[in-house]
Amino acid sequence: MACVDSDFDLWAIPPVALNMSVRKKLGLYLNPRNAVAADWMAVAEAMGFNYLEIKNYEASKSPTESVLEDWQARSTDATVGKLLSILEEVERRDIVEDLRPLMDEDVRKYCENQKKNASPPLQVPEVDSCRPRTPERIGLTLEDDPDGAPELFDAFICYCQKDFQFVREMIRELEQTECKLKLCVFDRDVLPGSCVWSITSELIEKRCKRMVVVISDEYLDSDACDFQTKFALSLCPGAQNKRLIPVIYKPMTRPFPSILRFLTICDYTRPCTQAWFWIRLAKALSQP
């Protein structure tokens, strides 16, 4: 998604650029049922949600925020520009006028962060060969070829530290059996000393065919997991490439993340399907 220095192309900026403050303010405008002005239901309908989907959102604490999260995850044309266009379409120009400055500021910060992640490192590698080097792709993981061939994986594992014991079991079942899959486990495979966010983006986008998301109550509090999940979703709106595979391995006391609820879940907590769990997961990760 391109960012322009002086005039941002809002039709090229994903909604993930909008921070929680703007989302909550949108909810303050749209959540109340209003007989005069269009509310969140009109916006959801303009986004392409059907009647039953919209009715299900009524139980949400903030229907506007839930709709926005699911829209950005499943729609290929979800952008900040499209959102502003929808608000104009449902005649909520008051929201556009009040929140546009805040949105523009969020977009500016998002673009600055994108540029930082794309910038070359300040330390230039020593010139010891005529072979062209790409520092952002060499020396990230244990098995990277020093001559330039990056290590590739079948899946990136998104997890929080409290779920690492289950990740160990995943390694045993998927790597050390006849499945012979290659997993990218950050604490095991990534070399120290580089920017976490840049490395993570590189691995998810260019080195891993899929991403397994280990969902738990602790996952919901992890900033790293939140970033990894939203970044992967931004690469495949609507999950057309089956890039994300949510996994639940223990009971949860908190709601399942709404941004992932449109995806098929691999559930280890159901005794009746536990025998098929690893077979199904391995098959999903083995797809081309």
Side-chain angles (χ1 to χ4, degrees):
M1 300 269 180
C3 295
V4 183
D5 286 334
S6 59
D7 187 20
F8 302 119
D9 180 8
L10 298 180
W11 288 87
I13 306 297
V16 72
L18 301 178
N19 67 25
M20 289 306 299
S21 176
V22 167
R23 292 165 186 259
K24 289 183 182 300
K25 285 182 171 65
L26 277 170
L28 292 176
Y29 280 102
L30 294 170
N31 285 339
R33 298 302 305 276
N34 198 324
V36 179
D39 56 21
W40 67 271
M41 288 188 170
V43 171
E45 186 174 1
M47 288 176 173
F49 291 92
N50 61 40
Y51 172 78
L52 289 178
E53 289 174 321
I54 292 172
K55 292 295 289 182
N56 286 335
Y57 286 119
E58 287 185 319
S60 299
K61 183 178 178 181
S62 175
T64 301
E65 292 180 53
S66 297
V67 165
L68 186 57
E69 282 191 359
D70 286 358
W71 178 60
Q72 73 185 24
R74 80 178 198 176
S75 176
T76 57
D77 66 348
T79 65
V80 175
K82 179 67 173 177
L83 175 61
L84 290 170
S85 174
I86 288 172
L87 291 172
E88 293 274 3
E89 179 184 327
V90 299
E91 298 183 352
R92 291 307 305 264
R93 295 182 183 86
D94 57 316
I95 301 178
V96 175
E97 291 174 2
D98 287 352
L99 297 189
R100 180 63 188 269
L102 296 176
M103 290 183 173
D104 286 345
E105 179 64 14
D106 282 354
V107 167
R108 183 187 64 78
K109 291 178 180 177
Y110 172 82
C111 288
E112 287 179 355
N113 288 333
Q114 292 292 99
K115 287 180 180 179
K116 285 179 184 177
N117 290 338
S119 298
L122 294 177
Q123 291 183 329
V124 179
E126 185 180 38
V127 180
D128 59 358
S129 169
C130 61
R131 178 174 301 186
R133 300 268 184 140
T134 52
E136 70 277 12
R137 291 185 59 84
I138 295 175
L140 295 186
T141 60
L142 283 172
E143 301 299 324
D144 268 357
D145 187 330
D147 289 330
E151 185 178 10
L152 302 178
F153 302 87
D154 292 300
F156 182 91
I157 310 301
C158 172
Y159 63 94
C160 67
Q161 290 300 315
K162 290 189 177 180
D163 296 326
F164 193 68
Q165 200 57 41
F166 178 72
V167 174
R168 288 182 178 275
E169 184 177 356
M170 190 180 296
I171 291 171
R172 288 195 299 271
E173 294 289 340
L174 299 179
E175 286 192 337
Q176 300 170 7
T177 62
E178 64 274 8
C179 297
K180 301 295 182 184
L181 291 166
K182 189 174 178 64
L183 308 179
C184 182
V185 179
F186 200 93
D187 291 291
R188 179 193 67 174
D189 297 312
V190 176
L191 298 177
S194 299
C195 174
V196 172
W197 309 117
S198 299
I199 293 175
T200 302
S201 303
E202 164 87 10
L203 291 170
I204 294 172
E205 181 176 9
K206 299 177 182 177
R207 304 234 194 152
C208 300
K209 293 192 296 182
R210 303 277 187 274
M211 186 166 95
V212 176
V213 187
V214 181
I215 308 294
S216 65
D217 288 335
E218 292 78 15
Y219 160 92
L220 298 173
D221 295 324
S222 169
D223 290 337
C225 290
D226 182 64
F227 170 80
Q228 291 165 14
T229 302
K230 288 179 177 176
F231 179 78
L233 280 171
S234 73
L235 298 175
C236 58
Q240 298 99 325
N241 298 327
K242 302 179 183 176
R243 191 177 184 93
L244 267 77
I245 302 172
V247 166
I248 298 178
Y249 80 98
K250 63 182 180 181
M252 296 178 63
T253 60
R254 297 165 65 182
F256 187 82
S258 61
I259 198 171
L260 295 176
R261 64 186 173 197
F262 69 98
L263 295 171
T264 304
I265 301 168
C266 214
D267 193 345
Y268 195 62
T269 65
R270 298 172 59 196
C272 59
T273 61
Q274 219 170 63
W276 306 317
F277 177 87
W278 295 113
I279 298 172
R280 293 178 63 228
L281 183 55
K283 184 69 174 178
L285 297 179
S286 300
Q287 299 299 310

